[in-house]
């Protein structure tokens, strides 16, 4: 077709929008876009009209008014005279707290179970399979309720600790496990404790430096220095020495039975613990399957090659298989983290005041601003989910096979 | 994805808002059934019996309205609602009226756009504790763990009361009354607080009601009454005057036993107007002349409903107290039927 190597430029005609395959798809996309906007516009105007007819308006002024209710667990200062906005922030922090704790615990359990599901030991393998199937196939709300019910029914209540021959007693006079939650000693930081804390953090940095040194030594000179005990020593000894040098600035506040409850110490409420535990073991069952899939995705030749180099099974797993499996495992685990965070909105079932409980529960009810509150709730969960996936995607990119 | 979630929610919001405005009386008549929002179960006020039939003091109000409007006290669909879902259910048109021991407050009336059609129970918030705790006053509750139903006025009153008395407490929010009971009984909370009538009803359902005491402090005013949506005044009138008819019937000595006899005509013109043998009150409401008679026959007058469901001879055992007729020193006072 040498004759038409440079076709004459045709002027654009409107009919080309339909007849010409080069433009047709753009036309359809444009029409669809217009239709979408029209639909959205209709829905919005319908909403506005109906709200106006009902005499309601969208207003966020209520966020600045005093909330009027108390929240049992708050990570920041809060009382009933604080604003609804502050109550919402308390809820956000509680959601994040249980989400972070849950993700951490679910990952640990999930990885261990996932690895053990492939164990050569028949009993362990089957037990783990039973665990995964049971926890994966019962709704998480049921797990939350069951764990909370067992928690309150089985553990002794504070009143059982009372009296001379009490039915229950504290563990080492430091920990109390009650149906209302766990009480543990709380460190009180006196003057000079900053030094101890600084030394502690410095020794953590020291551990990392030491590990790097050990690794370098191993790679450069082939010498394997002990890793575990020096790390433990580094962690504790400098901090303990600093503690005594500074004249024991950190003291412990022990929980004591007073009035109706234990007082003092750190109080982890039954609602937090059962929600945390339920979300963790539920999500861990899914993560275990992801981990198993990741490990199975690594060709068996890798294991055999590592074995032929003389590596022991534990080391094969931690040095050869898991680092490679991680690339397969991370993307599905991201979505499990998102699920766990969103599932934490079931918290109200056990009276844990997360964002759904404060902003989407009591605030919504007391102010009657349902649309405003629900929009804010959606915005929050959307933001937090997108943030988690951004962070995890960045981590995923860092772990990805570097192709050169 | 961000957009689709947002717009999806708007759609839902837009659709629910659309269902609200209409003539409820016509809707109920056309449907042949009254949708009445009640509690999820509070013995004496609204709870299904062993055969699944709803009964109770609030249920009686629903049945009276159904009898007045539809002529059939059983033409009621009872919709159980929690403290959190009740207002949405009413605002969206899922129920025609709410008879769910709901406190009449300024913001609910004005800001949430509801219309309280009267007060069928004058209540106040109280505390229940196990006798074994040895507590005799709410002021001794410093540091106690308190179970509360969320989404109610009680949690606001509670915060105010403990704050003004400068004592601390640990709130445990609970969704419904039935969830609160096991937590309280197992000792996960020391105190259960709600309206005093609700406490009495809850305690009556316990295995050993005698092991629990209701503290003397009443920390709030809780006028409980039925409510309807704002803006449908005709329907509001029907519910309001049905309730007034029950109250007036007690004052005028009209009971379910003697109503047939009195309906033949009496010397008291107000009784005649109430029962429709004189005047056109029913017509003004958009109903027939026998409307009040049917309402009273459905479960008896106010006093009969009270005695049957929550009175002193029932397990709940509430005294009339503030809920006696004004002629007996109570607060019940129906405007005249004229």
């Amino acid at each position: 077709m040498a004759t038409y190597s440079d076709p004459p430029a045709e002027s654009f005609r409107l009919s080309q929008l339909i007849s010409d395959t080069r433009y047709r798809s753009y036309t359809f996309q444009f029409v669809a876009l217009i239709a979408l906007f029209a639909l959205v516009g209709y829905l919005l105007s319908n909403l506005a009209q109906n709200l106006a007819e009902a005499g309601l308006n969208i207003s966020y002024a209520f966020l600045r008014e005093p909330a009027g209710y108390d929240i049992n667990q708050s990570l920041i200062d809060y009382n009933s005279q604080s604003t609804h906005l502050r109550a919402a922030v308390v809820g956000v922090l509680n959601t994040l707290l249980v989400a972070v704790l849950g993700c951490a615990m679910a990952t640990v359990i999930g990885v261990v179970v996932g690895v053990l599901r492939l164990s050569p030991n028949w009993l362990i393998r089957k037990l783990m399979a039973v665990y995964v199937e049971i926890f994966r196939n019962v709704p998480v709300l049921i797990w939350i309720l069951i764990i909370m019910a067992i928690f309150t029914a089985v553990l002794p209540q504070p009143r059982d600790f009372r009296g001379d021959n009490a039915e229950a007693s504290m563990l080492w006079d430091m920990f109390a496990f009650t149906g209302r939650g766990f009480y543990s000693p709380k460190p009180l930081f006196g003057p000079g404790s900053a030094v101890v804390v600084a030394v502690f953090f410095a020794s953590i940095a020291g551990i990392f430096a030491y590990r790097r040194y050990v690794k370098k030594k191993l790679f450069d000179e082939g010498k394997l220095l002990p890793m575990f005990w020096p790390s433990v020593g580094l962690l504790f000894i400098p901090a303990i020495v600093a503690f005594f040098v500074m004249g024991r600035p950190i003291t412990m506040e022990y929980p004591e039975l007073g009035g109706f409850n234990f007082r003092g110490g750190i109080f982890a409420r039954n609602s937090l613990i059962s929600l945390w535990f339920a979300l963790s073991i539920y999500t861990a069952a899914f993560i275990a399957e992801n981990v198993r899939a990741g490990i199975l995705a690594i060709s068996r030749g890798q294991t055999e090659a590592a074995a032929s180099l003389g590596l022991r099974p534990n080391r094969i797993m931690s040095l050869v298989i898991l680092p490679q499996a991680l690339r397969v495992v991370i993307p599905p685990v991201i979505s499990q983290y998102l699920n766990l965070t969103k599932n934490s909105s079931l918290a109200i079932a056990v009276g844990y005041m997360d964002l759904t409980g404060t902003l989407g529960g009591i605030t919504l009810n007391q102010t009657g601003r349902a649309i405003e509150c629900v929009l804010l709730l959606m915005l929050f969960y959307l933001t937090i989910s997108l943030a988690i996936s951004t962070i995890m995607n960045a981590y995923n990119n860092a772990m990805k096979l570097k192709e050169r | 994805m961000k957009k689709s979630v947002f717009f999806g929610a708007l759609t839902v919001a837009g659709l629910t808002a659309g269902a609200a405005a209409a003539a409820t009386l016509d809707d109920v008549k056309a449907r042949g059934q009254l949708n009445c929002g009640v509690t999820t179960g509070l013995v004496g006020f609204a709870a299904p019996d062993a055969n699944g039939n709803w009964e109770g003091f609030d249920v009686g109000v629903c049945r009276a309205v159904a009898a007045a409007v539809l002529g059939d006290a059983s033409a009621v669909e009872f919709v159980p609602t929690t403290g959190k879902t009740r207002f949405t259910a009413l605002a969206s048109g899922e129920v025609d009226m709410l008879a769910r021991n709901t406190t009449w407050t300024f913001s609910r009336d004005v800001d949430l756009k509801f219309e309280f059609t009267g007060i069928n129970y004058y209540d106040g918030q109280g505390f229940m504790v196990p006798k074994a705790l040895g507590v005799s006053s709410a002021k001794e509750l410093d540091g106690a763990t308190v179970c509360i139903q969320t989404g109610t006025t009680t949690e606001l009153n509670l915060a105010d009361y403990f704050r003004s008395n400068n004592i601390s407490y640990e709130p445990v929010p609970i969704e419904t009354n039935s969830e609160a009971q096991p937590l309280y009984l197992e000792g996960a909370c020391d105190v259960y607080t709600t309206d005093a009538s609700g406490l009495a009803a809850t305690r009556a359902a316990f295995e050993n009601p005698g092991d629990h005491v209701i503290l003397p402090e009443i920390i709030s005013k809780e006028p409980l009454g039925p409510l309807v949506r704002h803006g449908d005044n005709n329907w509001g009138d029907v519910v309001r005057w049905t309730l007034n008819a029950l109250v007036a019937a007690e004052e005028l000595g009209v009971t379910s036993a003697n109503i047939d006899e009195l309906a033949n005509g009496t010397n008291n013109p107000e009784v005649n107007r109430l029962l429709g043998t004189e005047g056109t009150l029913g017509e003004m409401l958009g109903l027939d002349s026998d409307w009040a008679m049917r309402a009273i026959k459905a479960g008896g007058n106010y006093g009969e409903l009270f005695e049957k469901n929550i009175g002193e001879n029932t397990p709940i055992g509430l005294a009339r107290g503030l809920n006696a007729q004004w002629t007996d020193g109570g607060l019940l006072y129906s405007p005249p039927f004229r």
Side-chain angles (χ1 to χ4, degrees):
Chain A
M1 290 291 184
T3 38
Y4 286 112
S5 61
D6 191 15
E10 270 184 63
S11 62
F12 178 77
R13 282 170 288 114
L14 265 183
S15 62
Q16 274 183 314
L17 285 178
I18 299 294
S19 58
D20 194 321
T21 46
R22 282 176 299 175
Y23 304 118
R24 194 190 286 152
S25 67
Y26 291 111
T27 314
F28 287 155
Q29 287 179 35
F30 187 69
V31 169
L33 189 68
I34 297 283
L36 182 71
F37 276 128
L39 181 69
V40 169
Y42 167 71
L43 290 174
L44 279 177
S45 71
N46 188 37
L47 173 72
Q49 190 192 339
N50 280 319
L51 285 175
E53 267 175 26
L56 298 169
N57 60 329
I58 300 263
S59 156
Y60 281 99
F62 69 91
L63 284 177
R64 286 193 298 275
E65 287 162 19
Y69 58 89
D70 286 302
I71 299 176
N72 49 12
Q73 175 188 310
S74 68
L75 299 175
I76 53 174
D77 274 339
Y78 174 86
N79 63 46
S80 61
Q81 297 305 302
S82 307
T83 61
H84 280 295
L85 183 63
R86 201 165 177 84
V89 173
V90 170
V92 167
L93 292 176
N94 283 348
T95 296
L96 291 179
L97 174 70
V98 78
V100 169
L101 289 175
C103 288
M105 187 156 146
T107 311
V108 172
I109 302 177
V111 170
V112 170
V113 172
V115 171
L116 291 184
R117 269 207 84 173
L118 297 168
S119 153
N121 183 322
W122 184 88
L123 183 65
I124 290 179
R125 201 167 63 224
K126 290 297 167 196
L127 274 179
M128 292 303 137
V130 168
Y131 160 77
V132 167
E133 293 309 331
I134 289 182
F135 281 86
R136 214 163 49 139
N137 293 311
V138 173
V140 66
L141 177 61
I142 312 264
W143 281 120
I144 296 175
L145 291 175
I146 290 176
I147 290 174
M148 179 72 171
I150 294 175
F151 203 116
T152 47
V154 169
L155 288 174
Q157 298 296 346
R159 63 175 84 135
D160 298 330
F161 288 80
R162 220 182 298 273
D164 288 333
N165 42 4
E167 292 169 43
S169 59
M170 291 171 73
L171 185 63
W172 306 319
D173 280 339
M174 290 162 89
F175 300 94
F177 300 101
T178 76
R180 289 181 189 168
F182 298 159
Y183 296 82
S184 59
K186 179 165 124 188
L188 296 176
F189 296 97
S193 54
V195 177
V196 181
V197 176
V199 167
F200 183 71
F201 280 110
S203 50
I204 289 179
I207 291 172
F208 278 99
Y210 176 73
R211 293 177 90 99
R212 183 168 288 173
Y213 169 75
V214 170
K215 211 172 201 176
K216 192 166 178 298
K217 195 97 173 163
L218 177 69
F219 287 180
D220 292 352
E221 300 170 23
K223 264 191 197 162
L224 187 57
L225 293 177
M227 182 92 100
F228 182 73
W229 287 114
S231 300
V232 172
L234 266 177
L235 187 64
F236 289 109
I237 294 170
I240 292 173
V241 170
F243 176 70
F244 284 104
V245 168
M246 294 305 296
R248 295 199 268 182
I250 304 175
T251 50
M252 285 294 190
E253 181 191 85
Y254 297 106
E256 275 175 12
L257 201 57
F260 294 92
N261 288 320
F262 282 93
R263 290 180 193 222
I266 298 173
F267 178 33
R269 282 173 186 75
N270 52 6
S271 53
L272 170 66
I273 292 168
S274 37
L275 183 69
W276 174 23
F277 194 54
L279 288 175
S280 305
I281 54 175
Y282 175 78
T283 311
F286 289 89
I287 293 182
E289 286 300 87
N290 295 336
V291 169
R292 186 169 71 112
I295 293 172
L296 289 178
I298 307 303
S299 118
R300 192 152 171 75
Q302 296 278 333
T303 317
E304 286 161 0
S308 69
L309 286 176
L311 289 179
R312 281 185 226 119
N314 282 347
R315 300 218 141 201
I316 296 177
M317 188 51 90
S318 60
L319 293 177
V320 178
I321 306 297
L322 276 183
Q324 297 187 74
L326 223 47
R327 296 182 190 107
V328 185
V329 171
I330 290 172
V333 167
I334 298 175
S335 68
Q336 293 309 331
Y337 284 174
L338 296 182
N339 277 341
L340 188 144
T341 309
K342 287 180 284 178
N343 284 341
S344 73
S345 62
L346 295 168
I348 189 62
V350 286
Y352 181 75
M353 294 313 271
D354 72 333
L355 185 68
T356 316
T358 58
L359 178 71
I362 307 181
T363 293
L364 186 154
N365 249 288
Q366 303 298 0
T367 62
R369 298 276 173 193
I371 296 176
E372 292 90 331
C373 288
V374 171
L375 283 178
L376 268 188
L377 271 184
M378 282 163 43
L379 185 70
F380 166 75
Y381 281 108
L382 196 62
T383 313
I384 200 72
S385 295
L386 291 178
I388 291 175
S389 51
T390 310
I391 295 169
M392 292 305 291
N393 279 330
Y395 179 64
N396 189 25
N397 283 336
M399 293 304 294
K400 216 160 56 179
L401 261 188
K402 304 285 187 299
E403 291 180 3
R404 297 188 176 91
Chain B
M1 183 221 129
K2 192 175 180 172
K3 276 197 180 117
S4 62
V5 173
F6 178 73
F7 293 131
L10 281 185
T11 319
V12 174
L15 289 178
T16 45
T24 314
L25 182 57
D26 295 338
D27 288 350
V28 172
K29 279 181 178 169
R31 203 189 301 131
Q33 198 179 41
L34 174 74
N35 291 338
C36 194
V38 290
T39 69
T40 49
L42 182 63
V43 177
F45 284 87
D49 66 7
N51 300 321
N53 296 318
W54 284 84
E55 54 182 34
F57 190 61
D58 282 334
V59 166
V61 177
C62 297
R63 292 204 189 279
V65 173
V69 175
L70 302 165
D72 180 3
S74 62
V76 190
E77 169 84 22
F78 290 99
V79 180
T81 56
T82 67
K84 272 170 81 172
T85 60
R86 54 184 164 181
F87 296 125
T88 325
L90 182 60
S92 66
E94 191 188 338
V95 297
D96 303 312
M97 60 178 283
L98 204 58
R100 193 206 170 277
N101 33 40
T102 301
T103 307
W104 186 350
T105 67
F106 181 95
S107 62
R108 284 172 179 177
D109 196 332
V110 177
D111 193 34
L112 298 192
K113 308 289 176 202
F114 293 123
E115 191 171 337
F116 283 81
T117 60
I119 294 164
N120 70 339
Y121 192 90
Y122 290 89
D123 210 342
Q125 184 176 347
F127 298 99
M128 176 164 66
V129 293
K131 225 175 219 170
L133 279 184
V135 175
S136 60
S137 158
K139 300 232 164 78
E140 296 166 19
L141 291 176
D142 192 19
T145 304
V146 184
C147 278
I148 2 162
Q149 276 188 60
T150 68
T152 59
T153 47
T154 51
E155 60 198 348
L156 304 184
N157 299 331
L158 188 70
D160 289 352
Y161 179 79
F162 277 76
R163 190 181 167 76
S164 59
N165 283 296
N166 206 11
I167 46 183
S168 66
Y169 73 108
E170 156 100 14
V172 177
I174 317 274
E175 205 59 306
T176 65
N177 193 50
S178 48
E179 283 172 37
Q181 283 182 31
L183 283 181
Y184 170 74
L185 288 175
E186 276 159 12
C189 34
D190 302 303
V191 190
Y192 182 41
T193 180
T194 186
D195 296 342
S197 63
L199 288 180
T202 307
R203 188 174 63 163
F206 286 169
E207 215 170 308
N208 300 311
D211 294 349
H212 303 270
V213 284
I214 294 174
L215 298 179
E217 281 89 351
I218 296 293
I219 64 167
S220 67
K221 285 192 290 186
E222 307 285 338
L224 310 180
L227 60 157
V228 297
R229 280 182 296 279
H230 203 88
D232 190 350
N233 296 354
N234 195 12
W235 175 245
D237 287 341
V238 169
V239 179
R240 174 178 301 113
W241 286 96
T242 306
L243 180 61
N244 283 338
L246 299 180
V247 175
E250 190 191 12
E251 188 188 340
L252 298 170
V254 180
T255 66
S256 54
N258 66 8
I259 192 166
D260 284 323
E261 188 188 328
L262 295 174
N264 296 328
T266 63
N267 295 330
N268 186 338
E270 182 148 23
V271 173
N272 291 349
R273 283 194 296 272
L274 177 65
L275 299 183
T277 49
E278 208 179 294
T280 56
L281 295 183
E283 215 172 284
M284 296 176 199
L285 271 180
L287 302 171
D288 57 12
S289 57
D290 290 341
W291 66 281
M293 195 176 122
R294 288 195 305 266
I296 296 163
K297 262 185 158 174
N301 63 30
Y302 182 92
E304 288 176 88
L305 276 176
F306 195 103
E307 287 312 319
K308 191 164 60 191
N309 294 303
I310 53 178
E312 278 174 330
N313 298 322
T314 63
I316 294 142
L318 292 170
R320 282 297 284 269
L322 289 176
N323 296 292
Q325 292 285 339
W326 65 285
T327 45
D328 301 333
L331 292 175
L332 284 189
Y333 187 104
S334 164
F337 277 74
R338 172 176 298 284

